[in-house]
Amino acid sequence: MILPDGYSDVPAGKIAAVVTHLEMTARLALRPDPPGAWTLRRVETPGFDWFRDLYCRVGEKWLWFSRLRMADADLAAIIHSPQVEVYALVQDGRDEGLLELDFREPGQCELAFFGVTAKLIGSGAGSWLMNRALERAWSRQVARVWVHTCTLDHPSALAFYQRAGFRPFRRQVEVADDPRLDGTLPRSAARHVPMIE
């Protein structure tokens, strides 16, 4: 369905975001690694509690909610798939970043989830993690690596992906139940997005 030009109402209890999909169709030279004491740890079979905790610590401020609403079996079908790789960025022995690479679609890799905790934003950790993501994504026989971001995300996210070499190819509007109103996320999450009950 194509939305009409002009304003479209979003019902109370809902959130709306403009989603931009970006892709990279050739392996590019990586940007220089920023200085930092980070390591990358692959988590072969992520535990649900571990995954949801890190997912929240990285994404709560940006209203990441989709994985929190999944039943364990549905989440396991993704993060325990042999075609999905889950990594943690580690600083000082603590997991502070999440990277999920999804190779389930032949010939491509989706950066399904990518981000660092609030305390690492602006430290260079995101750039370092992107370099590791692209190294691993292009280590397989893929013709395309893609990611999406939205207007609920960090204000610099879209520019960050473009600096890494991704190019926009699609835009969508996503409407969903506000995850703060049903208890999926705390009401204090994403203060930059007003709740309309």
Side-chain angles (χ1 to χ4, degrees):
M1 177 180 95
I2 297 176
L3 294 174
D5 287 352
Y7 295 104
S8 296
D9 285 340
V10 176
K14 299 280 188 178
I15 54 172
V18 176
V19 180
T20 301
H21 300 259
L22 305 100
E23 66 184 352
M24 185 183 294
T25 55
R27 185 175 194 153
L28 305 175
L30 299 177
R31 294 166 57 91
D33 270 338
W38 308 293
T39 58
L40 192 69
R41 177 175 69 89
R42 181 158 183 197
V43 183
E44 294 286 347
T45 308
F48 301 130
D49 290 342
W50 173 86
F51 183 87
R52 288 181 177 124
D53 172 69
L54 185 55
Y55 179 93
C56 281
R57 288 192 299 114
V58 170
E60 181 178 290
K61 184 173 182 178
W62 317 114
L63 288 185
W64 288 13
F65 63 88
S66 61
R67 295 296 175 78
L68 301 177
R69 288 182 171 159
M70 286 184 171
D72 287 354
D74 296 330
L75 182 58
I78 298 170
I79 64 174
H80 295 167
S81 166
Q83 295 301 104
V84 173
E85 298 179 5
V86 176
Y87 296 89
L89 176 145
V90 182
Q91 178 178 282
D92 297 328
R94 184 166 164 81
D95 297 333
E96 297 290 352
L98 177 64
L99 169 62
E100 181 183 315
L101 302 175
D102 188 337
F103 295 95
R104 291 178 297 169
E105 191 71 33
Q108 60 184 317
C109 174
E110 178 188 3
L111 273 66
F113 287 97
F114 176 94
V116 297
T117 57
K119 74 179 189 177
L120 292 187
I121 291 175
S123 70
S127 296
W128 184 88
L129 184 60
M130 178 57 72
N131 281 349
R132 306 296 77 78
L134 293 174
E135 286 172 346
R136 279 149 183 79
W138 289 108
S139 70
R140 294 210 191 178
Q141 294 297 315
V142 297
R144 175 178 180 254
V145 178
W146 71 280
V147 65
H148 70 268
T149 187
C150 75
T151 51
L152 300 175
D153 206 348
H154 188 285
S156 300
L158 183 58
F160 171 83
Y161 291 126
Q162 290 178 294
R163 281 194 307 274
F166 289 93
R167 298 289 171 249
F169 71 93
R170 183 180 188 190
R171 186 173 292 123
Q172 296 177 299
V173 174
E174 179 182 23
V175 178
D177 291 335
D178 190 324
R180 298 165 296 183
L181 296 177
D182 66 7
T184 301
L185 288 173
R187 292 178 71 91
S188 60
R191 293 191 184 277
H192 65 290
V193 181
M195 284 187 288
I196 300 176
E197 299 188 58

